């Protein structure tokens, strides 16, 4: 009954004159009424692609690759994420190819890895971690003796070419560390130089080579004012920082790997009389599978035989097992607890719920939040500015001291303390952790923008059916209003017509008739009135079914029957939806249908109220029914008798009052309202999580998940702001100190070694702060 106005399940476009005005309790709305539709689809020729980029060392690298991709003709948008090493590009395949995109990246001096994302991410992360650890250990092991000899002033009784052997040892060890262990920085610097560009490699390479070259010249002229060990220790500390950064990034991005590990590796498939244990990749749609107690369900399917309890916590975030029996849907990676079941595979491979979740999480981690734009702009011009500051520092110190040795110290310190890595990691690492936390709780966040939107919401508009209520209506009352017609006959007539509709109310009526063993009749001329009711011919009689308002618009009224009016009022006051049945333009009966409030709805509304967020309910039901459900949930403001196309109007009117509005609906029939709202939250189901409209998808239709989603948004955005603050604060304070601004007041000059250590660990502190999000309890507080 996709057509009754009291529980609309589909959006229908209607002309203004067709739309009925909606009713509300609570403050009146302001603003014009206009039909809101979902944003137009993008041109068909636009495609999306993602690929991995290897060799990026800082945010400047990702910014450069992003600019290069955006310059290509036909590229509509490009986002390169330094933290994940992924590029996401939207492009017109008629104007540009993926090969051209890859060539643009390779031209910048990086490698493109086209392997499947999750597999590549895991393998590359392991390789990078091992490589970083090895390089750091070797560099520290070799530079430590050089530092000890230089700092302790150790000398040797021997000389070579007139220079003390101890100095030669320091020079050789340091040169090896700077040139060999730090080779990646110098190669990166020369690549950037060829393109008249610069990145973090440029800063490190110039800084360490300056110390090496100056010390080599000074050594040749017999000076003892040498800085070999400075360049070596700086290189070693930065390599150590790279190792810790890689390790921290691995912890931040572990969500996808853990999701992939949830899947079963094999399946017990029944083919003919044989029971075969096959790799999961060989399971096909339509296969019959046996799942024994304690085993993981291999793929999505429908139970054909057996009964059991299934742990779906990986999917929904809820620990309570769900009973499954014949006809119920089950999902891959969930765990069969206590009974053997047979199931028919309905979705395999990339179509399973688990695969969709992995795809959604990985896409979210690739996208950037709007707040990151400022950091990206700064990273793009950061390195050249730092080089200029370093040169100015060196010149100024030389003017005042006349000592090139003393002048090189602050210049090198400025070069090595400044690093755009922390700026580049501040936002994506927090988003990686936030989306991973959400996925484990059954909250799928589509992008960083969704997290940013959720940080400040004033009003949440809940669609009633399936969001606050169970969405599984059941016939509770059947009232005959025609003489000589029994209640069963009223139900039979209604079910005979409603069997042609897929609406939940229609299904409830047909199910009730089946439970009573009633034989349904064939009808002809079935038609529907969008959002209102249905009509059909049963023999010679014309049957009209729908809301009381719809029947009254057709000239059929209850006014002649006070008893019928009284009974209808009683049903509506009990929060029951009332369907009217008319035969040949005369009321024949009423059917009451109940849709109960979800168990956690009242608690969710109460938590939102405590957090300072107002809740509003919107419903296609009549005013009395809607008010009754709203009272049970603790909601003060209700919009009743709302047609599907009017939901977006209500959101728009609330926004015109300066309110930031979140809309919570089922993600299909509420698409225009979800698109219009500041934050669209789609209540998904296990079979429908890849909902296009909506910024956040809740796998399980639990209203408390809305509270969790907002708490997660606020926590993530707070972490992003903390990361960006410390990243900016570090550079704003560190560069002047390295340049020597404190020297006239304190006589203290920052050692390049300390500067190198500070730079190396600035990125680690940002990533660590993001990872620590996992340990904090999610609580939605008043902002």
């Amino acid at each position: 009954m996709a057509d009754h106005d009291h529980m609309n399940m589909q959006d229908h476009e209607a002309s203004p004159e067709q739309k009925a005005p909606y009713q509300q309790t609570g403050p009146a709305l302001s603003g014009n009424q206009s039909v809101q539709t979902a944003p137009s689809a993008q041109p068909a020729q636009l495609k999306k692609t993602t690929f991995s980029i290897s060799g990026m060392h800082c945010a400047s690298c990702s910014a450069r690759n992003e600019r290069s991709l955006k310059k290509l003709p036909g590229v509509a948008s490009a986002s390169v994420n330094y933290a994940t090493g992924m590029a996401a590009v939207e492009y017109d395949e008629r104007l540009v190819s993926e090969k051209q995109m890859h060539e643009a990246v390779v031209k910048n001096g990086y490698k493109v890895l086209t392997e499947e994302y999750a597999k590549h991410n895991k393998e590359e992360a392991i390789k990078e971690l091992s490589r970083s650890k090895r390089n750091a250990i070797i560099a520290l092991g070799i530079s430590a003796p050089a530092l000890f000899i230089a700092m302790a002033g150790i000398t040797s009784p021997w000389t070579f070419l007139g220079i003390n052997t101890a100095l030669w040892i320091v020079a050789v060890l340091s040169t090896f560390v700077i040139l060999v262990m730090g080779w990646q920085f110098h190669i990166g610097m020369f690549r950037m130089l060829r393109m008249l560009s610069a990145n973090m490699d440029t800063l490190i390479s110039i800084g360490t080579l300056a110390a090496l070259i100056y010390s080599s010249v000074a050594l040749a002229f017999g000076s003892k004012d040498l800085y070999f060990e400075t360049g070596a220790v700086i290189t070693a500390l930065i390599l150590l920082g790279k190792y810790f950064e890689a390790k921290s990034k691995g912890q931040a991005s572990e969500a996808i790997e853990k999701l992939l590990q949830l899947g079963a590796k094999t399946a017990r498939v029944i083919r003919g009389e044989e029971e075969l244990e096959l790799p999961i990749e060989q399971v096909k749609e339509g296969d019959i599978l046996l799942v024994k107690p304690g085993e993981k369900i291999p793929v999505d399917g429908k139970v054909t035989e057996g009964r059991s309890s299934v742990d779906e916590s990986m999917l929904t975030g809820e620990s309570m097992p769900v009973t499954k029996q014949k006809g119920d849907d089950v999902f891959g990676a969930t765990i069969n607890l206590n009974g053997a079941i047979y199931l028919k595979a309905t979705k395999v491979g990339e179509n399973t719920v688990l695969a969709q979740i992995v795809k959604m999480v990985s896409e979210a981690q690739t996208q950037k939040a709007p707040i990151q734009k400022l950091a990206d702009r700064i990273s793009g011009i950061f390195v050249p500015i730092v080089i200029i500051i370093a040169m100015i520092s060196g010149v100024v110190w030389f003017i005042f001291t006349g000592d090139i040795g003393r002048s090189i110290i602050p210049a090198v310190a400025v070069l090595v303390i400044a690093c755009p890595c922390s700026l580049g990691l501040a936002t994506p690492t927090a988003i990686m952790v936030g989306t991973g936390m959400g996925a484990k709780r059954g909250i799928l966040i589509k992008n960083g923008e969704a997290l940013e939107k959720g940080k400040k919401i004033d009003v949440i508009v809940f669609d009633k059916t399936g969001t606050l209520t169970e969405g599984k209506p059941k016939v509770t009352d059947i009232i005959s209003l025609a003489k000589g017609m029994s209640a069963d006959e009223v139900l039979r007539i209604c079910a005979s017509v409603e069997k042609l509709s897929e609406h939940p109310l229609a299904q409830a009526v047909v199910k009730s008739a089946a439970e009573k063993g009633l034989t349904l009749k064939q009808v002809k001329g079935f038609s529907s009135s969008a959002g209102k009711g249905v009509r059909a011919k049963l023999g010679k009689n014309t049957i009209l079914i729908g809301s009381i308002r719809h029947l009254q618009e057709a000239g059929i009224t209850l006014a002649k029957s006070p008893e019928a009016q009284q009974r209808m009022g009683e049903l509506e006051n009990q929060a029951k939806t009332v369907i009217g049945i008319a035969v040949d333009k005369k009321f024949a009966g009423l059917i009451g249908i109940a849709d109960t409030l979800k168990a956690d709805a009242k608690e969710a509304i109460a938590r939102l109220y405590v957090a300072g967020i107002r809740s509003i309910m919107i419903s296609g039901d009549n005013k009395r029914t809607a008010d009754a459900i709203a009272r049970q949930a603790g909601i003060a403001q209700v919009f009743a008798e709302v047609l599907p196309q009017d939901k977006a109007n209500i959101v728009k009117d609330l926004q015109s009052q300066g309110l930031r509005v979140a809309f919570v609906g089922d993600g299909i029939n509420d698409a225009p309202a979800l698109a219009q709202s500041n934050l669209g939250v789609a209540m998904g189901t296990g079979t429908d999580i890849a909902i296009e409209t909506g910024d956040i998808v809740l796998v399980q239709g639990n209203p408390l998940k809305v509270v969790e989603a907002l708490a997660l948004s606020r926590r993530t955005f707070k972490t992003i702001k903390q990361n960006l603050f410390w990243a900016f604060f570090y550079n704003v304070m560190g560069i002047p100190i390295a340049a020597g601004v404190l020297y006239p007041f304190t006589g203290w000059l920052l050692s390049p070694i300390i500067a190198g250590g500070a730079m190396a660990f600035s990125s680690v502190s940002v990533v660590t702060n993001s990872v620590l999000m996992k340990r904090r309890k999610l609580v939605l507080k008043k902002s």
Side-chain angles (χ1 to χ4, degrees):
M1 211 158 85
D3 330 289
H4 303 315
D5 75 323
H6 38 258
M7 281 185 67
N8 296 300
M9 300 300 286
Q10 296 179 2
D11 286 305
H12 301 281
E13 292 299 323
S15 60
E17 59 269 18
Q18 286 177 315
K19 293 193 293 177
Y22 48 73
Q23 301 178 17
Q24 67 152 324
T25 58
L29 286 176
S30 62
N32 299 325
Q33 304 303 323
S34 60
V35 177
Q36 297 296 314
T37 58
S40 59
Q42 293 183 341
Q45 63 267 27
L46 285 183
K47 291 183 65 177
K48 291 182 179 179
T49 184
T50 58
F51 54 88
S52 303
I53 300 176
S54 174
M56 292 193 296
H57 297 151
C58 66
S60 294
C61 300
S62 61
R64 176 170 182 78
N65 284 319
E66 195 170 288
R67 286 196 302 270
S68 297
L69 290 169
K70 286 179 177 178
K71 287 178 182 177
L72 294 174
V75 171
S77 66
S79 174
V80 179
N81 192 318
Y82 165 54
T84 61
M86 293 293 294
V89 186
E90 194 172 25
Y91 66 102
D92 187 338
E93 61 181 337
R94 299 172 304 180
L95 301 175
V96 65
S97 67
E98 289 193 49
K99 184 180 178 183
Q100 288 173 301
M101 298 179 217
H102 297 170
E103 287 173 350
V105 171
V106 172
K107 189 177 178 182
N108 287 338
Y110 305 95
K111 292 181 181 178
V112 173
L113 302 162
T114 55
E115 293 94 342
E116 189 267 334
Y117 169 73
K119 180 182 177 182
H120 156 71
N121 186 60
K122 181 180 179 181
E123 290 177 354
E124 279 301 305
I126 293 172
K127 288 180 183 177
E128 182 185 359
L129 194 61
S130 176
R131 187 167 51 246
S132 298
K133 184 178 181 179
R134 184 186 66 246
N135 290 345
I137 291 173
I138 294 173
L140 285 169
I142 296 175
S143 59
L147 178 64
F148 176 74
I149 293 171
M151 293 294 101
I154 296 174
T155 59
S156 168
W158 302 286
T159 62
F160 179 68
L161 298 178
I163 299 172
N164 192 277
T165 308
L167 294 179
W168 279 113
I169 293 172
V170 172
V172 171
L173 293 177
S174 299
T175 301
F176 178 83
V177 173
I178 294 170
L179 295 183
V180 179
M181 303 311 300
W183 184 246
Q184 57 180 300
F185 306 124
H186 310 310
I187 288 292
M189 186 267 287
F190 284 114
R191 282 176 180 166
M192 292 296 104
L193 186 60
R194 282 206 322 264
M195 293 175 283
L196 300 179
S197 186
N199 64 358
M200 186 200 80
D201 292 341
T202 307
L203 300 179
I204 298 169
S205 180
I206 292 175
T208 55
L209 287 177
L212 177 63
I213 294 169
Y214 169 80
S215 299
S216 299
V217 173
L219 182 66
F221 282 94
S223 173
K224 295 183 179 180
D225 192 14
L226 309 176
Y227 302 102
F228 284 113
E229 76 287 350
T230 299
V233 174
I234 287 171
T235 302
L237 287 175
I238 291 170
L239 288 172
L240 181 62
K242 281 290 177 185
Y243 164 65
F244 285 128
E245 182 183 312
K247 191 173 182 179
S248 300
K249 280 165 65 179
Q251 292 174 341
S253 61
E254 67 184 5
I256 292 176
E257 184 181 338
K258 286 189 175 181
L259 285 171
L260 287 169
Q261 290 173 353
L262 290 173
K265 302 299 184 288
T266 61
R268 192 175 284 105
V269 183
I270 308 299
R271 288 183 179 167
E273 299 297 321
E274 287 188 280
E275 181 183 305
L276 306 173
E277 188 161 338
L278 301 176
I280 196 72
E281 295 80 13
Q282 295 182 21
V283 178
K284 301 175 183 177
E285 288 186 16
D287 278 345
I288 301 299
L289 280 66
L290 169 62
V291 186
K292 296 180 179 180
E295 293 181 342
K296 286 183 179 180
I297 294 173
V299 296
D300 295 0
K302 192 175 289 289
V303 177
T304 58
E305 187 180 337
R307 180 186 176 92
S308 182
S309 294
V310 176
D311 177 2
E312 294 186 339
S313 58
M314 58 71 56
L315 182 70
T316 64
E318 297 296 323
S319 58
M320 289 298 291
V322 181
T323 301
K324 299 289 182 179
Q325 54 192 353
K326 185 176 180 180
D328 289 340
D329 292 317
V330 291
F331 312 105
T334 58
I335 300 173
N336 182 30
L337 295 177
N338 52 23
I341 56 174
Y342 289 87
L343 61 98
K344 182 178 181 180
T346 56
K347 292 181 180 179
V348 299
E350 295 181 355
N351 297 321
T352 63
V353 167
L354 178 63
Q356 290 182 50
I357 291 175
V358 170
K359 181 181 178 183
M360 193 174 289
V361 173
S362 62
E363 286 179 352
Q365 293 185 351
T366 304
Q367 302 300 319
K368 296 182 179 180
I371 195 173
Q372 193 174 348
K373 292 177 181 178
L374 175 62
D376 286 349
R377 285 198 297 270
I378 293 174
S379 297
I381 60 172
F382 187 81
V383 174
I385 291 174
V386 169
I387 293 173
I388 292 170
I389 293 173
M391 292 172 64
I392 293 172
S393 299
V395 170
V396 170
W397 273 88
F398 183 73
I399 290 172
F400 282 98
T401 65
D403 185 343
I404 192 170
R406 295 191 64 188
S407 304
I408 202 171
I409 292 295
V412 172
V414 168
L415 288 171
V416 299
I417 200 170
C419 176
C421 291
S422 54
L423 288 174
L425 291 168
T427 301
T429 53
I431 290 174
M432 287 161 68
V433 174
T435 52
M437 289 173 65
K440 291 173 71 174
R441 289 170 165 79
I443 302 167
L444 303 183
I445 300 157
K446 289 194 171 182
N447 48 52
E449 187 176 2
L451 288 167
E452 190 164 337
K453 287 177 179 177
K455 74 180 187 295
K456 183 63 177 176
I457 292 295
D458 303 307
V459 177
I460 294 187
V461 178
F462 288 93
D463 183 49
K464 178 179 78 71
T465 306
T467 301
L468 289 175
T469 63
E470 293 291 348
K472 298 176 182 177
K474 183 177 181 181
V475 172
T476 56
D477 301 87
I478 306 167
I479 302 167
S480 174
L481 301 176
K483 289 183 179 179
M485 186 180 290
S486 67
D488 281 354
E489 187 60 23
V490 170
L491 179 61
R492 186 200 310 273
I493 292 171
C494 187
S496 297
V497 177
E498 295 287 33
K499 69 180 179 181
L500 300 175
S501 171
E502 295 181 355
H503 190 281
L505 287 185
Q507 294 172 3
V509 170
V510 174
K511 184 178 180 181
S512 179
E515 289 172 350
K516 289 178 176 289
L518 302 178
T519 303
L520 303 186
K521 301 177 181 180
Q522 290 295 117
V523 300
K524 297 180 180 179
F526 177 87
S527 64
S528 65
S529 179
K532 295 181 178 180
V534 296
R535 181 188 298 267
K537 276 276 189 180
L538 181 58
K540 295 181 179 179
N541 303 115
T542 299
I543 312 298
L544 183 62
I545 302 171
S547 68
I548 304 304
R549 186 183 73 180
H550 175 48
L551 268 61
Q552 288 173 338
E553 289 174 355
I556 305 165
T557 177
L558 283 176
K560 297 178 181 179
S561 175
E563 179 190 356
Q565 287 183 314
Q566 181 184 349
R567 294 297 300 275
M568 186 184 76
E570 290 172 355
L571 293 174
E572 289 181 342
N573 287 333
Q574 295 169 17
K576 294 176 181 178
T577 297
V578 181
I579 297 174
I581 300 96
V583 179
D584 295 330
K585 293 200 172 183
K586 292 182 181 179
F587 258 111
L590 302 172
I591 292 181
I593 301 177
D595 183 18
T596 57
L597 192 70
K598 288 182 177 177
D600 296 320
K602 188 172 182 179
E603 183 183 350
I605 301 303
R607 288 193 188 182
L608 291 170
Y609 176 80
V610 171
I613 299 173
R614 181 158 56 104
S615 298
I616 295 174
M617 191 185 85
I618 192 169
S619 174
D621 266 333
N622 62 73
K623 184 175 179 298
R624 277 190 290 189
T625 302
D627 283 348
I629 290 289
R631 280 196 300 273
Q632 293 176 27
I635 296 176
Q637 188 174 1
V638 182
F639 294 95
E641 300 183 22
V642 181
L643 294 179
Q645 60 267 28
D646 284 325
K647 294 177 181 179
N649 297 338
I650 293 173
V651 173
K652 188 174 183 180
D653 288 337
L654 289 166
Q655 289 170 328
S656 71
Q657 299 173 27
L659 299 171
R660 284 161 293 201
V661 182
F663 186 91
V664 186
D666 69 8
I668 302 172
N669 63 329
D670 298 316
L674 286 163
Q676 175 64 48
S677 62
N678 299 88
L679 179 70
V681 182
M683 286 282 196
T685 64
T687 56
D688 187 29
I689 64 161
I691 297 171
E692 293 301 322
T693 311
D695 305 296
I696 295 174
V697 177
L698 306 180
V699 177
Q700 186 191 46
N702 184 342
L704 276 176
K705 291 294 177 182
V706 177
V707 182
E708 272 192 59
L710 292 181
L712 183 59
S713 293
R714 290 186 179 181
R715 170 67 52 75
T716 306
F717 195 76
K718 182 179 179 181
T719 302
I720 290 172
K721 288 197 294 185
Q722 289 173 345
N723 288 349
L724 286 173
F725 171 80
W726 287 113
F728 280 118
F729 179 82
Y730 163 80
N731 282 295
V732 168
M733 297 298 293
I735 292 174
I737 292 173
V741 295
L742 296 180
Y743 185 80
F745 312 103
T746 64
W748 178 70
L749 192 62
L750 183 67
S751 165
I753 293 176
I754 296 175
M759 187 279 274
F761 288 98
S762 64
S763 303
V764 179
S765 63
V766 165
V767 179
T768 302
N769 188 48
S770 296
V771 173
L772 287 175
M773 281 173 57
K774 299 177 184 178
R775 301 186 181 181
R776 299 170 188 140
K777 189 176 179 181
L778 280 180
V779 179
L780 185 62
K781 298 179 181 178
K782 196 166 186 176
S783 59

